[in-house]
Amino acid sequence: MLHDFLGWGKAFAFLGYNDDWREHRRLFHQQFQGQAIQEYQHKMVKEARKLTAGLLTTDEFTKNLRLMSAATILGVTYGMDIRDNSDPYVVLAKKAMHSIVRATTPGSYMVEYVPFMRYIPSWAPGGKFKLEAAEWREAVSALFTKPLEHIKKEMVQGTAAPSIAVSLLASLEENSENSESERLIRNVTGMAYIGGSDTTVSVLGTFVLAMVLNPSVQAAAHEQIDRVVGNDSLPDYTYRELLPYVTAILHETLRWRPAGPLGIPHQVSADDEYNGFHIPAGAVVVGNVWAIFHDPVRFPNPDTFDPTRWLTSDGQLSEDVSDVMATFGSGRRICPGRHFAMESIWIAMVHILAMYDIEKLVDDTGKVVEPSGEYTSGLVVYPVPFKVIFKPRSAAALSLIQSMALDD
Ligand code: HEM
């Protein structure tokens, strides 16, 4: 379904290990490697502050998380200024992404199991899936082509904001390269949003859940932030080394409820052997991220949210912190957006912690509303929607939040 009917072959996460994948991966890596993403920190700070301001008045915080994630990635990739979730590009991407969820949910489409169904005409019994696919295919194609067409027009008019897409297209003009390069640029920029948006929303949703369920963790983070940043100024990346507890919260969030509990399945390209098991070529291998992070030997009481697992006895980040990178996969296909993700999520978390107490909602009858702690299922999982209160931590915090709302 993904490849042949929905057109997701343009997304290199779903390509086989071949030269075409290598070319995509190389270009993506150039733009999103650790050093390159330092340039985008100002955009990440800006969107973290818009998110923090938005949380003051929202009663559906996931929408704010979604907006922050879309605005950060689309701003960096295409120079877009996304102001709300009704932006046509966000709507288009949501529709296209929905097709991934449907197509990767086992049992959704019989054609996965009965290949001859691909020959059934769309009007015949059993062929309805083709009509659904045709509509989604259009959205998937537009997701890759529309933004670049728009930017090319803006470049001609001289109104394009700086972005990854603009610099890649400009270098193309200078080198007068061919349409093949433009195909790569289109696919690589399109892939950034697909790879980064839902995953970021999932991690930040889990963070909010972990904070509301663990007030003592929040209190420890508040104590460190107040001591290092003070309670009348805004945090930024310059404080990162001094806030190991906040960084440990990020690591524990990624471990406790991994955004993609089973990663992306891989297919073995040649016969292999592992610990005495024969793995034949063509077998599908699933890296069980959840099991790795919930191994009680490596992580005692794995269901407990405990950031101190990642700290030494004197409160510094321990040498094992890199273990959490298993959430991003491993080997040649490891997530190339991981540096971007770690930067943008960290800055959002530190702002929220600095400004708010995240508390359970109390309903009209005075009863505390407990989050269920349940999760959706799929390739990327989210906490089932729950309500919390974002309460400014002080009068000084409230006035900082209000000042962030005015900044633009
Ligand atoms: C916390 C957030 C994120 C998580 C948990 C995550 C997780 C993953 C995982 C598990 C994979 C598959 C790795 C494998 O096959 O072994 C992957 C692939 C990928 N991710 Fe991420 N990701 C995140 C954020 C991002 C961001 C922000 C971007 C873009 C800026 C991105 C872009 C990609 C791309 C392009 C691939 C495909 C790589 C390939 O097939 O070579 N991801 N990600």
Side-chain angles (χ1 to χ4, degrees):
M1 269 309 272
L2 275 184
H3 271 258
D4 299 350
F5 290 99
L6 298 176
W8 276 112
K10 298 178 192 72
F12 69 92
F14 303 128
L15 283 182
Y17 181 61
N18 56 27
D19 286 345
D20 198 28
W21 168 79
R22 257 183 226 102
E23 297 254 5
H24 283 86
R25 175 94 189 187
R26 194 177 309 125
L27 193 60
F28 193 96
H29 175 74
Q30 268 171 23
Q31 303 301 324
F32 286 93
Q33 41 92 358
Q35 201 59 41
I37 53 146
Q38 306 299 317
E39 272 184 48
Y40 318 135
Q41 282 185 343
H42 68 280
K43 178 71 181 161
M44 295 178 181
V45 171
K46 184 175 166 195
E47 295 305 332
R49 291 184 179 171
K50 273 164 66 178
L51 167 66
T52 312
L55 293 175
L56 186 63
T57 48
T58 188
D59 57 358
E60 277 187 87
F61 68 86
T62 309
K63 285 192 176 161
N64 300 64
L65 302 182
R66 200 160 275 290
L67 177 60
M68 168 264 169
S69 144
T72 311
I73 296 178
L74 297 178
V76 167
T77 312
Y78 299 115
M80 291 180 183
D81 186 16
I82 306 286
R83 282 163 186 266
D84 58 64
N85 288 321
S86 63
D87 182 279
Y89 193 65
V90 175
V91 173
L92 176 67
K94 202 171 162 196
K95 184 170 177 189
M97 299 282 290
H98 185 61
S99 73
I100 300 191
V101 177
R102 283 276 288 144
T104 57
T105 304
S108 290
Y109 292 103
M110 284 314 289
V111 68
E112 297 288 3
Y113 313 98
V114 190
F116 82 81
M117 286 184 73
R118 64 165 54 235
Y119 302 112
I120 299 178
S122 57
W123 47 263
K128 202 179 136 220
F129 75 95
K130 284 190 170 171
L131 292 176
E132 207 168 61
E135 198 188 322
W136 274 333
R137 193 180 177 90
E138 215 177 292
V140 175
S141 169
L143 178 73
F144 285 92
T145 50
K146 282 255 160 71
L148 229 58
E149 277 167 17
H150 178 73
I151 283 170
K152 279 164 77 177
K153 268 191 214 138
E154 284 189 340
M155 284 171 79
V156 171
Q157 291 159 358
T159 53
S163 70
I164 289 178
V166 166
S167 43
L168 287 175
L169 286 170
S171 69
L172 198 66
E173 272 171 20
E174 282 164 22
N175 299 328
S176 63
E177 292 206 16
N178 51 28
S179 60
E180 168 55 13
S181 304
E182 196 172 311
R183 179 183 74 94
L184 281 181
I185 296 173
R186 193 170 54 232
N187 291 353
V188 157
T189 48
M191 186 62 222
Y193 182 77
I194 300 153
S197 61
D198 282 13
T199 43
T200 303
V201 175
S202 162
V203 176
L204 285 171
T206 293
F207 159 72
V208 174
L209 179 65
M211 291 305 100
V212 77
L213 295 179
N214 296 279
S216 62
V217 172
Q218 268 193 83
H222 289 157
E223 189 278 322
Q224 188 165 78
I225 291 171
D226 290 349
R227 194 159 31 81
V228 171
V229 185
N231 54 9
D232 53 2
S233 24
L234 290 173
D236 59 32
Y237 289 106
T238 57
Y239 294 106
R240 182 157 40 188
E241 304 302 317
L242 302 169
L243 296 170
Y245 194 84
V246 174
T247 307
I249 290 181
L250 166 57
H251 282 71
E252 184 65 349
T253 304
L254 294 170
R255 183 203 70 81
W256 185 58
R257 298 287 183 258
L262 296 176
I264 296 187
H266 287 225
Q267 192 174 38
V268 182
S269 51
D271 281 2
D272 202 358
E273 184 143 333
Y274 182 74
N275 278 356
F277 287 94
H278 174 64
I279 306 175
V284 173
V285 176
V286 172
N288 192 341
V289 177
W290 175 272
I292 295 170
F293 286 156
H294 287 256
D295 169 4
V297 177
R298 170 68 184 87
F299 300 104
N301 302 318
D303 226 29
T304 305
F305 187 92
D306 178 9
T308 63
R309 305 176 190 277
W310 306 101
L311 297 172
T312 59
S313 53
D314 60 353
Q316 297 306 310
L317 286 177
S318 80
E319 279 177 7
D320 314 327
V321 278
S322 58
D323 287 4
V324 88
M325 298 313 267
T327 202
F328 295 106
S330 55
R332 290 188 288 234
R333 304 299 290 247
I334 191 171
C335 172
R338 61 195 183 282
H339 307 292
F340 188 98
M342 294 298 268
E343 295 277 306
S344 67
I345 296 172
W346 185 87
I347 199 72
M349 281 183 179
V350 73
H351 273 84
I352 296 173
L353 284 167
M355 297 297 129
Y356 291 109
D357 282 314
I358 306 176
E359 294 180 356
K360 288 179 189 165
L361 189 77
V362 178
D363 71 14
D364 296 343
T365 64
K367 214 173 116 213
V368 173
V369 183
E370 292 289 339
S372 75
E374 284 172 12
Y375 272 68
T376 60
S377 56
L379 205 60
V380 176
V381 300
Y382 310 89
V384 167
F386 60 99
K387 302 255 183 211
V388 295
I389 302 194
F390 289 91
K391 193 165 126 198
R393 292 184 52 219
S394 61
L398 178 61
S399 92
L400 283 171
I401 296 166
Q402 284 163 340
S403 72
M404 283 187 259
L406 299 174
D407 280 353
D408 208 350

